[in-house]
Amino acid sequence: MNRQLTTSITLILFLLASLLPGATDNSAYAQKKKIILRQANTLEGGTMRSPLTGNTEPVRSVAGDVIFQHGDLVLTCDRATEFRKSQVIELKGNIRISDPSSELYGNHGLYYPQTGNGELNGDVKGRLLENDLVIKGQNMFMNERDDTIRLAGNALAWHGKNQLSGESMLIRLANRNGDRSIERITVTGQAFLAMPDTLEQHSELYHQLKGEQIVITLDEASQLRSIESEQQAELLYYTYEETTPSGVNRTSGKRITLEFDNGKISSITAFGNATGKQHPSSQRTNPAINLPGFLIRAGEKPSF
């Protein structure tokens, strides 16, 4: 038997050990899935400080074009180190975590086999394939049981030309007819949504919504159901009479709710000290009319 095959089999047995009967955590969930090493160039053993506890403990590492699978998840990286006592796998270099609905990328991360959770940092980006949503942030946290992906630190998301930003972003997925698609997106901290005006696409005008928190809900067809902005909510949108521009409306309140019917706005409601002002059409292209914090950041959108 050649050395590379022997190395692969040895590591498979090592990684599976913590998931087999008699291990420290013998929960039904832990036994449901097994980690399978698909590819690696080298295997190393020894001791290292755990990234969780700081204690020195036994480890096994694989390096060089590493690919392993855990249920529907496929994880690739330059190097993976399993900390036996901490029950965590540290991932380094060119990390890609993917399943049939998403692809997530980073330069450093941790993966928890017992729960299926993971976290990434360093040039973090990703895309949700079903909804064609592209995301970016400083840190990313994946929770398999809750079906959520959380971005922390300068969180950004794009859907076509629609742009969503804030300090943090929580994306909740739902299993619909066998496909995992977005159910809700919650943005917290200086939340800002910019959506291009579809009636005058050439003008680069954007409807704008801001607040301390924005919650976007989608229906089973992945169409917008509602958008809600809370705390110091402000809305700017361009108005028309039929297809003729009639002005620009700015509305503010403690909470602003937009309801949609078949993906199109059906109502706009402001609550709590609500104020509104209609500006003339002559102000439509005046940059001074934009909401504070408005900035289109298309140049930062990751490519794949």
Side-chain angles (χ1 to χ4, degrees):
M1 184 177 294
N2 64 54
R3 181 179 180 277
Q4 184 170 355
L5 181 58
T6 303
T7 296
S8 296
I9 292 175
T10 301
L11 184 62
I12 291 170
L13 294 174
F14 178 84
L15 291 174
L16 293 183
S18 61
L19 300 180
L20 294 175
T24 303
D25 183 347
N26 195 24
S27 67
Y29 183 83
Q31 293 186 57
K32 185 174 66 174
K33 300 177 181 179
K34 296 180 179 179
I35 294 178
I36 301 174
L37 180 70
R38 297 297 186 191
Q39 178 178 305
N41 294 336
T42 62
L43 168 67
E44 300 173 2
T47 59
M48 292 179 62
R49 288 188 179 275
S50 166
L52 296 184
T53 65
N55 297 329
T56 299
E57 58 183 77
V59 300
R60 291 285 178 91
S61 298
V62 286
D65 300 321
V66 178
I67 302 175
F68 62 94
Q69 186 168 351
H70 193 201
D72 290 335
L73 284 179
V74 177
L75 298 94
T76 68
C77 61
D78 293 337
R79 185 179 186 87
T81 301
E82 184 190 31
F83 292 81
R84 190 73 179 277
K85 292 182 180 179
S86 299
Q87 296 185 338
V88 64
I89 299 175
E90 185 176 35
L91 310 172
K92 291 184 177 181
N94 298 308
I95 300 167
R96 178 179 183 266
I97 301 177
S98 63
D99 63 21
S101 63
S102 64
E103 297 176 355
L104 309 177
Y105 298 81
N107 287 327
H108 181 271
L110 297 175
Y111 182 67
Y112 304 84
Q114 300 296 321
T115 62
N117 296 341
E119 57 187 81
L120 294 173
N121 52 68
D123 296 327
V124 173
K125 64 179 183 179
R127 58 178 173 173
L128 282 77
L129 305 178
E130 179 69 22
N131 298 82
D132 196 27
L133 186 77
V134 175
I135 57 178
K136 175 183 176 182
Q138 295 177 3
N139 302 284
M140 186 183 299
F141 304 87
M142 175 185 65
N143 189 312
E144 186 183 35
R145 288 185 179 179
D146 291 343
D147 254 350
T148 59
I149 297 172
R150 182 167 66 89
L151 292 169
N154 193 22
L156 283 161
W158 295 266
H159 184 262
K161 287 190 174 182
N162 297 334
Q163 179 183 287
L164 184 61
S165 61
E167 293 175 2
S168 66
M169 184 179 304
L170 181 68
I171 302 170
R172 183 172 297 279
L173 306 175
N175 195 322
R176 294 163 169 166
N177 301 319
D179 295 321
R180 291 170 74 227
S181 58
I182 298 172
E183 180 179 64
R184 183 182 302 111
I185 302 176
T186 303
V187 185
T188 304
Q190 302 181 47
F192 204 112
L193 172 64
M195 305 175 69
D197 181 11
T198 57
L199 290 179
E200 285 193 309
Q201 297 181 22
H202 64 282
S203 63
E204 295 295 326
L205 300 178
Y206 284 82
H207 306 295
Q208 303 162 34
L209 178 67
K210 65 175 297 187
E212 275 304 298
Q213 179 172 277
I214 291 178
V215 180
I216 300 174
T217 305
L218 288 78
D219 61 21
E220 293 185 357
S222 294
Q223 291 185 321
L224 285 171
R225 174 179 290 169
S226 66
I227 303 177
E228 184 173 288
S229 177
E230 296 184 353
Q231 300 181 40
Q232 301 177 347
E234 294 183 73
L235 170 67
L236 179 147
Y237 62 97
Y238 298 90
T239 59
Y240 294 85
E241 293 180 4
E242 299 296 335
T243 58
T244 303
S246 60
V248 186
N249 185 281
R250 287 189 64 162
T251 299
S252 64
K254 290 185 177 179
R255 177 164 58 94
I256 296 176
T257 300
L258 288 71
E259 299 289 342
F260 293 80
D261 185 10
N262 291 323
K264 297 181 179 180
I265 292 179
S266 58
S267 67
I268 298 173
T269 309
F271 303 88
N273 300 324
T275 62
K277 183 177 181 180
Q278 182 77 5
H279 297 267
S281 292
S282 60
Q283 296 296 307
R284 291 171 65 85
T285 58
N286 183 357
I289 205 170
N290 291 326
L291 298 182
F294 172 70
L295 178 65
I296 298 302
R297 301 164 65 178
E300 299 180 45
K301 183 177 180 179
S303 58
F304 298 89

